């Protein structure tokens, strides 16, 4: 459909909308007449609602892609990038996806996962409780009665859904006891 045009001197959302409408009409008129839209920077006049040419960029490289001479390039070593990535906490959306993955370890329902990732401290509490339950189960007896044969080798693995329900239940109970309301002013529970 032709080249792009930049429009400058836009100081409000209303001006942006008016300039876009004006430029769209101008581009349609040029293309309908069989012409080609030229690459240029245009100015918008809010008093008249018109755009006018500030400069043509037909033969110029776009100045935004030129290196800045006063700023040296930033070069990060792989070890530095790894350290930065390790320092950035998991985003709630990534944690939610990990917790609800039907093929993953946790397999939580979306509503339960949402409650667990609502705060980073809740997620940390859930993961610490799951880890403690898993570590405790490795050394614990598999049941009240002594088992023999193939059942004796069976390990009890805590269900992440049960741990998440317990964590959320504990937090809701503590919040109710403290008289704290949930999101948007609604009481928890």
């Amino acid at each position: 459909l032709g080249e792009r045009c930049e429009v400058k001197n836009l100081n409000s959302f209303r001006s942006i909308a008016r300039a876009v409408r004006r430029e769209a009409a101008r581009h349609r008129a040029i293309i309908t007449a069989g012409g080609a839209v030229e690459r240029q920077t245009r100015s918008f006049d809010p008093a008249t609602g018109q755009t006018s040419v500030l400069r043509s960029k037909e033969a110029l490289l776009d100045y935004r892609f030129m290196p800045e001479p006063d700023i040296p390039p930033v070069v990060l070593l792989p070890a530095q990038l790894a350290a930065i990535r390790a320092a950035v906490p998991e985003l709630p959306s990534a944690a939610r996806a990990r917790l609800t993955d039907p093929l993953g370890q946790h397999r939580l329902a979306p509503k339960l996962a949402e409650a667990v990732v609502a705060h980073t401290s809740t997620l940390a509490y859930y993961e610490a409780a799951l880890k403690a339950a898993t570590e405790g189960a490795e050394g614990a007896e598999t049941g009240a009665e002594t088992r023999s044969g193939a059942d004796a080798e069976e390990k009890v693995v805590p269900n992440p859904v049960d741990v998440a329900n317990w964590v959320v239940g504990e937090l809701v109970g503590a919040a109710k006891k403290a008289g704290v309301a949930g999101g948007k002013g609604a009481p928890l529970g």
Side-chain angles (χ1 to χ4, degrees), residues 4-6 8 39 41 55 57 60-68:
R4 69 168 184 258
C5 292
E6 294 179 23
K8 305 285 184 173
R39 180 187 240 179
T41 299
R55 62 185 164 272
K57 296 183 174 183
L60 298 175
L61 290 173
D62 196 342
Y63 59 87
R64 292 178 300 156
F65 302 112
M66 302 297 284
E68 173 59 46

Side-chain angles (χ1 to χ4, degrees), residues 95-167:
R96 192 177 310 106
R98 179 173 55 85
L99 295 176
T100 59
D101 182 4
L103 302 175
Q105 172 193 3
H106 305 277
R107 294 182 274 236
L108 302 183
K111 190 172 182 179
L112 184 56
E114 186 66 39
V116 170
V117 301
H119 298 285
T120 53
S121 58
T122 310
L123 178 59
Y125 186 48
Y126 162 73
E127 291 187 336
L130 183 60
K131 181 179 178 188
T134 303
E135 288 171 356
E138 288 173 0
E141 187 67 29
T142 59
E145 53 198 54
T146 306
R147 297 185 180 187
S148 61
D151 287 345
E153 298 297 319
E154 185 181 328
K155 290 185 179 179
V156 173
V157 178
N159 183 346
V161 174
D162 293 339
V163 174
N165 279 321
W166 177 79
V167 167

Side-chain angles (χ1 to χ4, degrees), residues 7-115:
V7 180
K8 305 285 184 173
N9 302 331
L10 302 169
N11 58 6
S12 70
F13 289 114
R14 184 171 180 249
S15 292
I16 293 170
R18 290 176 63 206
V20 167
R21 281 193 297 271
R22 173 66 190 119
E23 278 300 292
R26 188 179 75 80
H27 286 222
R28 272 194 300 275
I30 292 171
I31 293 168
T32 303
V37 177
E38 293 180 28
R39 180 187 240 179
Q40 50 190 209
T41 299
R42 300 181 67 85
S43 175
F44 178 70
D45 182 359
T48 64
Q50 299 294 315
T51 61
S52 58
V53 176
L54 286 175
R55 62 185 164 272
S56 178
K57 296 183 174 183
E58 197 170 304
L60 298 175
L61 290 173
D62 196 342
Y63 59 87
R64 292 178 300 156
F65 302 112
M66 302 297 284
E68 173 59 46
D70 297 329
I71 302 175
V74 176
V75 179
L76 297 175
L77 300 173
Q80 291 171 310
L81 286 174
I84 292 168
R85 285 188 184 110
V88 175
E90 184 179 31
L91 294 174
S93 58
R96 192 177 310 106
R98 179 173 55 85
L99 295 176
T100 59
D101 182 4
L103 302 175
Q105 172 193 3
H106 305 277
R107 294 182 274 236
L108 302 183
K111 190 172 182 179
L112 184 56
E114 186 66 39

